[in-house]
Amino acid sequence: MTIGEIKALIRDVPDFPKPGILFKDITPVLQNAEAYRFLIDEMSSALDSIEFNKIAGIESRGFVFGAPIAYKLGKGFIMLRKKGKLPYIKESECYDLEYGVDCIEVHVDSVEPGESVIIVDDVLATGGTALHAAKLIEKIGGKVAGFLFFVELEFLNGREKLKDYNVISMVRF
Ligand code: AMP
């Protein structure tokens, strides 16, 4: 298996979830046992030179990558969830979308003071979600050691929005 073969498995779905968006569908990668394992191994290795304490996944596709990487590297896993899902004391970060507002939440005891976190998601698009995920980790006293994405959509310049952080992606379009 190669990362090029993994990239070839990503399916383009035009006009989803609305007209004009070319959706990068990663489900064919997940369905392929060899591809999924290879990708998790490669994403884990990409963190070799970074020191950090925990992995945070952004709901829900960030969980699909973040949790197995945390398991493989022996790190704790933090769920950054959509509003209203977490039961305990939490912190929120809300941000404007094209239509309306979206919020992500985290339990306040997810990090010890000063712990550093790698934030994982499937796709880096405009970077809005990722930036607010970083703010959320910082609100509860954590440090962001970097971001790890499976796919980066370079033409949307998400990396620019995350310029204060270390950003790693496995495949780029
Ligand atoms: P962003 O614009 O970076 O805030 O993207 C928010 C979320 O939407 C990311 O977590 C991606 O999972 C998802 N997303 C945005 N654009 C796409 C796309 N073209 N294909 C697949 N997923 C996308």
mmCIF file of all heavy atoms in Angstrom, residues 10-13 16-17 21-26 58-62 95 97 120-132 149 151 153 155-156 158 161-162, ligand 1:
data_model
loop_
_atom_site.group_PDB
_atom_site.id
_atom_site.type_symbol
_atom_site.label_atom_id
_atom_site.label_comp_id
_atom_site.label_asym_id
_atom_site.label_seq_id
_atom_site.Cartn_x
_atom_site.Cartn_y
_atom_site.Cartn_z
ATOM 1 N N ILE A 10 -10.116 8.057 -2.412
ATOM 2 C CA ILE A 10 -11.030 9.129 -1.974
ATOM 3 C C ILE A 10 -11.974 9.471 -3.139
ATOM 4 O O ILE A 10 -11.533 9.660 -4.265
ATOM 5 C CB ILE A 10 -10.235 10.382 -1.533
ATOM 6 C CG1 ILE A 10 -9.339 10.035 -0.340
ATOM 7 C CG2 ILE A 10 -11.178 11.532 -1.195
ATOM 8 C CD1 ILE A 10 -8.318 11.118 0.002
ATOM 9 N N ARG A 11 -13.272 9.506 -2.815
ATOM 10 C CA ARG A 11 -14.283 9.688 -3.869
ATOM 11 C C ARG A 11 -14.791 11.129 -3.874
ATOM 12 O O ARG A 11 -15.137 11.664 -2.826
ATOM 13 C CB ARG A 11 -15.431 8.718 -3.580
ATOM 14 C CG ARG A 11 -16.654 8.862 -4.455
ATOM 15 C CD ARG A 11 -17.574 7.661 -4.318
ATOM 16 N NE ARG A 11 -17.953 7.365 -2.936
ATOM 17 C CZ ARG A 11 -18.352 6.165 -2.508
ATOM 18 N NH1 ARG A 11 -18.426 5.133 -3.343
ATOM 19 N NH2 ARG A 11 -18.685 5.979 -1.247
ATOM 20 N N ASP A 12 -14.828 11.723 -5.055
ATOM 21 C CA ASP A 12 -15.397 13.066 -5.203
ATOM 22 C C ASP A 12 -16.910 12.966 -5.371
ATOM 23 O O ASP A 12 -17.386 12.250 -6.260
ATOM 24 C CB ASP A 12 -14.849 13.739 -6.470
ATOM 25 C CG ASP A 12 -13.445 14.268 -6.260
ATOM 26 O OD1 ASP A 12 -12.970 14.308 -5.110
ATOM 27 O OD2 ASP A 12 -12.809 14.637 -7.271
ATOM 28 N N VAL A 13 -17.649 13.675 -4.536
ATOM 29 C CA VAL A 13 -19.114 13.739 -4.700
ATOM 30 C C VAL A 13 -19.499 15.194 -4.943
ATOM 31 O O VAL A 13 -19.436 16.022 -4.033
ATOM 32 C CB VAL A 13 -19.853 13.185 -3.461
ATOM 33 C CG1 VAL A 13 -21.362 13.221 -3.680
ATOM 34 C CG2 VAL A 13 -19.394 11.767 -3.133
ATOM 35 N N PHE A 16 -22.458 18.194 -2.893
ATOM 36 C CA PHE A 16 -22.870 17.722 -1.567
ATOM 37 C C PHE A 16 -22.063 18.478 -0.516
ATOM 38 O O PHE A 16 -20.854 18.612 -0.676
ATOM 39 C CB PHE A 16 -22.633 16.215 -1.415
ATOM 40 C CG PHE A 16 -23.097 15.693 -0.078
ATOM 41 C CD1 PHE A 16 -24.400 15.241 0.086
ATOM 42 C CD2 PHE A 16 -22.235 15.693 1.025
ATOM 43 C CE1 PHE A 16 -24.836 14.789 1.330
ATOM 44 C CE2 PHE A 16 -22.688 15.241 2.269
ATOM 45 C CZ PHE A 16 -23.976 14.792 2.416
ATOM 46 N N PRO A 17 -22.666 18.958 0.565
ATOM 47 C CA PRO A 17 -24.090 18.895 0.922
ATOM 48 C C PRO A 17 -24.925 19.976 0.245
ATOM 49 O O PRO A 17 -26.138 19.990 0.439
ATOM 50 C CB PRO A 17 -24.078 19.100 2.445
ATOM 51 C CG PRO A 17 -22.859 19.900 2.714
ATOM 52 C CD PRO A 17 -21.865 19.534 1.661
ATOM 53 N N ILE A 21 -20.303 22.544 -3.884
ATOM 54 C CA ILE A 21 -19.296 21.918 -3.014
ATOM 55 C C ILE A 21 -18.899 20.569 -3.616
ATOM 56 O O ILE A 21 -19.758 19.760 -3.950
ATOM 57 C CB ILE A 21 -19.836 21.674 -1.582
ATOM 58 C CG1 ILE A 21 -20.413 22.958 -0.995
ATOM 59 C CG2 ILE A 21 -18.773 21.018 -0.699
ATOM 60 C CD1 ILE A 21 -19.458 23.810 -0.206
ATOM 61 N N LEU A 22 -17.574 20.366 -3.772
ATOM 62 C CA LEU A 22 -17.068 19.048 -4.185
ATOM 63 C C LEU A 22 -16.639 18.321 -2.926
ATOM 64 O O LEU A 22 -15.601 18.630 -2.338
ATOM 65 C CB LEU A 22 -15.884 19.219 -5.148
ATOM 66 C CG LEU A 22 -15.334 17.920 -5.720
ATOM 67 C CD1 LEU A 22 -16.380 17.198 -6.565
ATOM 68 C CD2 LEU A 22 -14.077 18.185 -6.541
ATOM 69 N N PHE A 23 -17.463 17.377 -2.496
ATOM 70 C CA PHE A 23 -17.239 16.699 -1.226
ATOM 71 C C PHE A 23 -16.233 15.575 -1.386
ATOM 72 O O PHE A 23 -16.348 14.745 -2.283
ATOM 73 C CB PHE A 23 -18.567 16.141 -0.693
ATOM 74 C CG PHE A 23 -18.508 15.727 0.758
ATOM 75 C CD1 PHE A 23 -18.699 16.667 1.762
ATOM 76 C CD2 PHE A 23 -18.247 14.416 1.111
ATOM 77 C CE1 PHE A 23 -18.630 16.288 3.103
ATOM 78 C CE2 PHE A 23 -18.181 14.038 2.451
ATOM 79 C CZ PHE A 23 -18.377 14.968 3.446
ATOM 80 N N LYS A 24 -15.236 15.559 -0.527
ATOM 81 C CA LYS A 24 -14.234 14.490 -0.520
ATOM 82 C C LYS A 24 -14.729 13.390 0.412
ATOM 83 O O LYS A 24 -14.680 13.531 1.640
ATOM 84 C CB LYS A 24 -12.881 15.034 -0.042
ATOM 85 C CG LYS A 24 -12.268 16.056 -0.990
ATOM 86 C CD LYS A 24 -11.861 15.389 -2.295
ATOM 87 C CE LYS A 24 -11.240 16.380 -3.268
ATOM 88 N NZ LYS A 24 -11.018 15.785 -4.587
ATOM 89 N N ASP A 25 -15.205 12.307 -0.174
ATOM 90 C CA ASP A 25 -15.798 11.202 0.592
ATOM 91 C C ASP A 25 -14.701 10.188 0.927
ATOM 92 O O ASP A 25 -14.163 9.527 0.031
ATOM 93 C CB ASP A 25 -16.908 10.570 -0.260
ATOM 94 C CG ASP A 25 -17.531 9.362 0.405
ATOM 95 O OD1 ASP A 25 -17.351 9.190 1.637
ATOM 96 O OD2 ASP A 25 -18.195 8.579 -0.309
ATOM 97 N N ILE A 26 -14.417 10.071 2.220
ATOM 98 C CA ILE A 26 -13.327 9.184 2.659
ATOM 99 C C ILE A 26 -13.804 7.776 3.028
ATOM 100 O O ILE A 26 -13.006 6.926 3.403
ATOM 101 C CB ILE A 26 -12.587 9.808 3.862
ATOM 102 C CG1 ILE A 26 -13.566 10.205 4.979
ATOM 103 C CG2 ILE A 26 -11.819 11.055 3.436
ATOM 104 C CD1 ILE A 26 -13.310 9.548 6.278
ATOM 105 N N ILE A 58 -12.158 15.848 16.357
ATOM 106 C CA ILE A 58 -13.329 16.694 16.132
ATOM 107 C C ILE A 58 -14.464 15.812 15.616
ATOM 108 O O ILE A 58 -14.317 15.086 14.625
ATOM 109 C CB ILE A 58 -13.018 17.813 15.109
ATOM 110 C CG1 ILE A 58 -11.800 18.643 15.560
ATOM 111 C CG2 ILE A 58 -14.249 18.697 14.902
ATOM 112 C CD1 ILE A 58 -11.368 19.726 14.571
ATOM 113 N N GLU A 59 -15.625 15.850 16.313
ATOM 114 C CA GLU A 59 -16.778 15.038 15.934
ATOM 115 C C GLU A 59 -17.179 15.309 14.480
ATOM 116 O O GLU A 59 -17.233 16.453 14.070
ATOM 117 C CB GLU A 59 -17.964 15.378 16.847
ATOM 118 C CG GLU A 59 -19.174 14.485 16.610
ATOM 119 C CD GLU A 59 -20.269 14.677 17.677
ATOM 120 O OE1 GLU A 59 -20.066 15.454 18.628
ATOM 121 O OE2 GLU A 59 -21.306 14.028 17.516
ATOM 122 N N SER A 60 -17.537 14.272 13.723
ATOM 123 C CA SER A 60 -17.423 12.879 14.105
ATOM 124 C C SER A 60 -16.320 12.167 13.325
ATOM 125 O O SER A 60 -15.783 11.171 13.802
ATOM 126 C CB SER A 60 -18.755 12.161 13.885
ATOM 127 O OG SER A 60 -19.126 12.272 12.526
ATOM 128 N N ARG A 61 -15.960 12.699 12.156
ATOM 129 C CA ARG A 61 -14.937 11.969 11.386
ATOM 130 C C ARG A 61 -13.557 12.099 12.010
ATOM 131 O O ARG A 61 -12.691 11.247 11.784
ATOM 132 C CB ARG A 61 -14.957 12.398 9.916
ATOM 133 C CG ARG A 61 -16.037 11.651 9.136
ATOM 134 C CD ARG A 61 -16.325 12.275 7.816
ATOM 135 N NE ARG A 61 -17.053 13.514 8.003
ATOM 136 C CZ ARG A 61 -17.109 14.495 7.137
ATOM 137 N NH1 ARG A 61 -16.468 14.409 5.997
ATOM 138 N NH2 ARG A 61 -17.804 15.574 7.394
ATOM 139 N N GLY A 62 -13.360 13.127 12.835
ATOM 140 C CA GLY A 62 -12.092 13.235 13.566
ATOM 141 C C GLY A 62 -11.911 12.106 14.568
ATOM 142 O O GLY A 62 -10.777 11.749 14.919
ATOM 143 N N TYR A 95 -19.064 29.694 16.678
ATOM 144 C CA TYR A 95 -18.544 30.468 15.549
ATOM 145 C C TYR A 95 -19.600 30.546 14.455
ATOM 146 O O TYR A 95 -20.469 29.684 14.329
ATOM 147 C CB TYR A 95 -17.246 29.850 15.020
ATOM 148 C CG TYR A 95 -17.280 28.360 14.834
ATOM 149 C CD1 TYR A 95 -17.518 27.807 13.575
ATOM 150 C CD2 TYR A 95 -17.093 27.495 15.910
ATOM 151 C CE1 TYR A 95 -17.553 26.437 13.403
ATOM 152 C CE2 TYR A 95 -17.136 26.121 15.743
ATOM 153 C CZ TYR A 95 -17.370 25.606 14.491
ATOM 154 O OH TYR A 95 -17.419 24.249 14.324
ATOM 155 N N LEU A 97 -21.308 30.417 10.893
ATOM 156 C CA LEU A 97 -21.264 29.682 9.628
ATOM 157 C C LEU A 97 -21.956 30.545 8.580
ATOM 158 O O LEU A 97 -22.451 31.619 8.891
ATOM 159 C CB LEU A 97 -22.020 28.354 9.751
ATOM 160 C CG LEU A 97 -21.439 27.326 10.695
ATOM 161 C CD1 LEU A 97 -22.363 26.126 10.753
ATOM 162 C CD2 LEU A 97 -20.064 26.905 10.245
ATOM 163 N N VAL A 120 -7.041 16.278 15.660
ATOM 164 C CA VAL A 120 -7.156 15.447 14.453
ATOM 165 C C VAL A 120 -8.528 15.626 13.814
ATOM 166 O O VAL A 120 -9.546 15.642 14.502
ATOM 167 C CB VAL A 120 -6.931 13.949 14.803
ATOM 168 C CG1 VAL A 120 -7.132 13.068 13.580
ATOM 169 C CG2 VAL A 120 -5.537 13.736 15.393
ATOM 170 N N ASP A 121 -8.532 15.748 12.483
ATOM 171 C CA ASP A 121 -9.797 15.731 11.747
ATOM 172 C C ASP A 121 -9.554 15.097 10.379
ATOM 173 O O ASP A 121 -8.401 14.906 9.968
ATOM 174 C CB ASP A 121 -10.369 17.137 11.610
ATOM 175 C CG ASP A 121 -11.895 17.136 11.409
ATOM 176 O OD1 ASP A 121 -12.506 16.042 11.341
ATOM 177 O OD2 ASP A 121 -12.483 18.225 11.305
ATOM 178 N N ASP A 122 -10.643 14.783 9.692
ATOM 179 C CA ASP A 122 -10.478 14.121 8.388
ATOM 180 C C ASP A 122 -10.022 15.092 7.312
ATOM 181 O O ASP A 122 -9.074 14.825 6.585
ATOM 182 C CB ASP A 122 -11.769 13.386 7.969
ATOM 183 C CG ASP A 122 -12.956 14.325 7.740
ATOM 184 O OD1 ASP A 122 -13.004 15.404 8.355
ATOM 185 O OD2 ASP A 122 -13.841 13.965 6.928
ATOM 186 N N VAL A 123 -10.703 16.253 7.215
ATOM 187 C CA VAL A 123 -10.447 17.172 6.102
ATOM 188 C C VAL A 123 -10.185 18.587 6.636
ATOM 189 O O VAL A 123 -10.967 19.095 7.447
ATOM 190 C CB VAL A 123 -11.661 17.215 5.131
ATOM 191 C CG1 VAL A 123 -11.458 18.261 4.045
ATOM 192 C CG2 VAL A 123 -11.901 15.843 4.501
ATOM 193 N N LEU A 124 -9.096 19.202 6.172
ATOM 194 C CA LEU A 124 -8.879 20.631 6.407
ATOM 195 C C LEU A 124 -9.441 21.361 5.192
ATOM 196 O O LEU A 124 -8.909 21.247 4.085
ATOM 197 C CB LEU A 124 -7.387 20.943 6.572
ATOM 198 C CG LEU A 124 -7.016 22.431 6.619
ATOM 199 C CD1 LEU A 124 -7.682 23.147 7.790
ATOM 200 C CD2 LEU A 124 -5.501 22.621 6.681
ATOM 201 N N ALA A 125 -10.538 22.088 5.399
ATOM 202 C CA ALA A 125 -11.145 22.866 4.308
ATOM 203 C C ALA A 125 -10.792 24.336 4.547
ATOM 204 O O ALA A 125 -9.644 24.724 4.356
ATOM 205 C CB ALA A 125 -12.636 22.586 4.246
ATOM 206 N N THR A 126 -11.722 25.159 5.027
ATOM 207 C CA THR A 126 -11.392 26.574 5.280
ATOM 208 C C THR A 126 -10.584 26.758 6.564
ATOM 209 O O THR A 126 -10.005 27.825 6.788
ATOM 210 C CB THR A 126 -12.668 27.419 5.422
ATOM 211 O OG1 THR A 126 -13.365 26.990 6.591
ATOM 212 C CG2 THR A 126 -13.567 27.272 4.201
ATOM 213 N N GLY A 127 -10.594 25.760 7.423
ATOM 214 C CA GLY A 127 -9.836 25.851 8.677
ATOM 215 C C GLY A 127 -10.607 26.461 9.832
ATOM 216 O O GLY A 127 -10.106 26.529 10.948
ATOM 217 N N GLY A 128 -11.851 26.873 9.580
ATOM 218 C CA GLY A 128 -12.657 27.497 10.636
ATOM 219 C C GLY A 128 -12.888 26.563 11.823
ATOM 220 O O GLY A 128 -12.674 26.936 12.978
ATOM 221 N N THR A 129 -13.297 25.353 11.529
ATOM 222 C CA THR A 129 -13.571 24.390 12.595
ATOM 223 C C THR A 129 -12.303 24.104 13.394
ATOM 224 O O THR A 129 -12.314 24.068 14.626
ATOM 225 C CB THR A 129 -14.104 23.075 11.979
ATOM 226 O OG1 THR A 129 -15.211 23.392 11.144
ATOM 227 C CG2 THR A 129 -14.531 22.090 13.043
ATOM 228 N N ALA A 130 -11.205 23.906 12.677
ATOM 229 C CA ALA A 130 -9.940 23.565 13.337
ATOM 230 C C ALA A 130 -9.466 24.705 14.241
ATOM 231 O O ALA A 130 -9.030 24.481 15.370
ATOM 232 C CB ALA A 130 -8.884 23.251 12.279
ATOM 233 N N LEU A 131 -9.585 25.934 13.759
ATOM 234 C CA LEU A 131 -9.141 27.082 14.559
ATOM 235 C C LEU A 131 -9.931 27.165 15.856
ATOM 236 O O LEU A 131 -9.372 27.405 16.928
ATOM 237 C CB LEU A 131 -9.304 28.381 13.747
ATOM 238 C CG LEU A 131 -8.843 29.637 14.465
ATOM 239 C CD1 LEU A 131 -7.340 29.597 14.724
ATOM 240 C CD2 LEU A 131 -9.191 30.885 13.653
ATOM 241 N N HIS A 132 -11.237 26.933 15.777
ATOM 242 C CA HIS A 132 -12.062 27.006 16.987
ATOM 243 C C HIS A 132 -11.826 25.808 17.897
ATOM 244 O O HIS A 132 -11.925 25.929 19.122
ATOM 245 C CB HIS A 132 -13.528 27.207 16.616
ATOM 246 C CG HIS A 132 -13.756 28.577 16.066
ATOM 247 N ND1 HIS A 132 -13.866 29.678 16.874
ATOM 248 C CD2 HIS A 132 -13.785 29.042 14.788
ATOM 249 C CE1 HIS A 132 -13.984 30.761 16.125
ATOM 250 N NE2 HIS A 132 -13.939 30.399 14.845
ATOM 251 N N PHE A 149 -4.300 16.170 9.786
ATOM 252 C CA PHE A 149 -5.457 15.906 8.918
ATOM 253 C C PHE A 149 -5.126 14.783 7.948
ATOM 254 O O PHE A 149 -3.985 14.656 7.503
ATOM 255 C CB PHE A 149 -5.802 17.156 8.086
ATOM 256 C CG PHE A 149 -6.163 18.352 8.906
ATOM 257 C CD1 PHE A 149 -5.214 19.321 9.212
ATOM 258 C CD2 PHE A 149 -7.456 18.515 9.391
ATOM 259 C CE1 PHE A 149 -5.549 20.433 9.974
ATOM 260 C CE2 PHE A 149 -7.802 19.627 10.159
ATOM 261 C CZ PHE A 149 -6.838 20.579 10.453
ATOM 262 N N VAL A 151 -6.819 14.737 4.889
ATOM 263 C CA VAL A 151 -6.892 15.440 3.605
ATOM 264 C C VAL A 151 -6.809 16.955 3.818
ATOM 265 O O VAL A 151 -7.445 17.484 4.733
ATOM 266 C CB VAL A 151 -8.236 15.128 2.897
ATOM 267 C CG1 VAL A 151 -8.362 15.901 1.584
ATOM 268 C CG2 VAL A 151 -8.392 13.631 2.654
ATOM 269 N N LEU A 153 -7.464 20.509 1.636
ATOM 270 C CA LEU A 153 -7.932 21.144 0.394
ATOM 271 C C LEU A 153 -7.181 22.464 0.273
ATOM 272 O O LEU A 153 -7.589 23.483 0.837
ATOM 273 C CB LEU A 153 -9.451 21.345 0.450
ATOM 274 C CG LEU A 153 -10.252 20.057 0.692
ATOM 275 C CD1 LEU A 153 -11.755 20.359 0.753
ATOM 276 C CD2 LEU A 153 -9.964 19.014 -0.377
ATOM 277 N N PHE A 155 -6.603 24.723 -1.932
ATOM 278 C CA PHE A 155 -7.179 25.917 -2.571
ATOM 279 C C PHE A 155 -8.070 26.710 -1.620
ATOM 280 O O PHE A 155 -8.420 27.851 -1.905
ATOM 281 C CB PHE A 155 -7.944 25.524 -3.847
ATOM 282 C CG PHE A 155 -9.005 24.475 -3.600
ATOM 283 C CD1 PHE A 155 -10.311 24.840 -3.362
ATOM 284 C CD2 PHE A 155 -8.676 23.120 -3.617
ATOM 285 C CE1 PHE A 155 -11.295 23.876 -3.131
ATOM 286 C CE2 PHE A 155 -9.652 22.148 -3.375
ATOM 287 C CZ PHE A 155 -10.952 22.532 -3.133
ATOM 288 N N LEU A 156 -8.435 26.148 -0.471
ATOM 289 C CA LEU A 156 -9.269 26.873 0.496
ATOM 290 C C LEU A 156 -8.428 27.586 1.563
ATOM 291 O O LEU A 156 -8.974 28.278 2.439
ATOM 292 C CB LEU A 156 -10.268 25.915 1.151
ATOM 293 C CG LEU A 156 -11.337 25.364 0.201
ATOM 294 C CD1 LEU A 156 -12.190 24.310 0.909
ATOM 295 C CD2 LEU A 156 -12.232 26.474 -0.340
ATOM 296 N N GLY A 158 -6.869 26.858 4.258
ATOM 297 C CA GLY A 158 -7.072 26.626 5.691
ATOM 298 C C GLY A 158 -5.773 26.767 6.484
ATOM 299 O O GLY A 158 -5.776 27.228 7.623
ATOM 300 N N LYS A 161 -5.167 30.148 7.931
ATOM 301 C CA LYS A 161 -5.926 30.433 9.155
ATOM 302 C C LYS A 161 -5.251 29.804 10.387
ATOM 303 O O LYS A 161 -5.384 30.292 11.499
ATOM 304 C CB LYS A 161 -7.347 29.883 8.997
ATOM 305 C CG LYS A 161 -8.376 30.626 9.818
ATOM 306 C CD LYS A 161 -9.796 30.226 9.443
ATOM 307 C CE LYS A 161 -10.407 31.193 8.455
ATOM 308 N NZ LYS A 161 -11.634 30.690 7.850
ATOM 309 N N LEU A 162 -4.503 28.729 10.151
ATOM 310 C CA LEU A 162 -3.859 28.001 11.257
ATOM 311 C C LEU A 162 -2.363 28.316 11.321
ATOM 312 O O LEU A 162 -1.574 27.514 11.816
ATOM 313 C CB LEU A 162 -4.069 26.488 11.064
ATOM 314 C CG LEU A 162 -5.514 26.024 10.908
ATOM 315 C CD1 LEU A 162 -5.566 24.510 10.692
ATOM 316 C CD2 LEU A 162 -6.351 26.401 12.129
HETATM 317 P P1 AMP B 1 -13.737 23.807 7.576
HETATM 318 O O1 AMP B 1 -14.193 24.599 6.413
HETATM 319 O O2 AMP B 1 -12.235 23.556 7.533
HETATM 320 O O3 AMP B 1 -14.167 24.400 8.880
HETATM 321 O O4 AMP B 1 -14.435 22.386 7.432
HETATM 322 C C1 AMP B 1 -15.285 21.903 8.400
HETATM 323 C C2 AMP B 1 -15.512 20.421 8.319
HETATM 324 O O5 AMP B 1 -16.276 20.129 7.177
HETATM 325 C C3 AMP B 1 -14.264 19.584 8.270
HETATM 326 O O6 AMP B 1 -14.180 18.922 9.510
HETATM 327 C C4 AMP B 1 -14.491 18.595 7.160
HETATM 328 O O7 AMP B 1 -14.720 17.326 7.712
HETATM 329 C C5 AMP B 1 -15.749 19.032 6.478
HETATM 330 N N1 AMP B 1 -15.563 19.455 5.087
HETATM 331 C C6 AMP B 1 -15.520 20.726 4.616
HETATM 332 N N2 AMP B 1 -15.396 20.764 3.294
HETATM 333 C C7 AMP B 1 -15.344 19.479 2.891
HETATM 334 C C8 AMP B 1 -15.211 18.846 1.611
HETATM 335 N N3 AMP B 1 -15.106 19.546 0.468
HETATM 336 N N4 AMP B 1 -15.179 17.504 1.568
HETATM 337 C C9 AMP B 1 -15.291 16.793 2.722
HETATM 338 N N5 AMP B 1 -15.433 17.318 3.931
HETATM 339 C C10 AMP B 1 -15.458 18.643 4.021
#
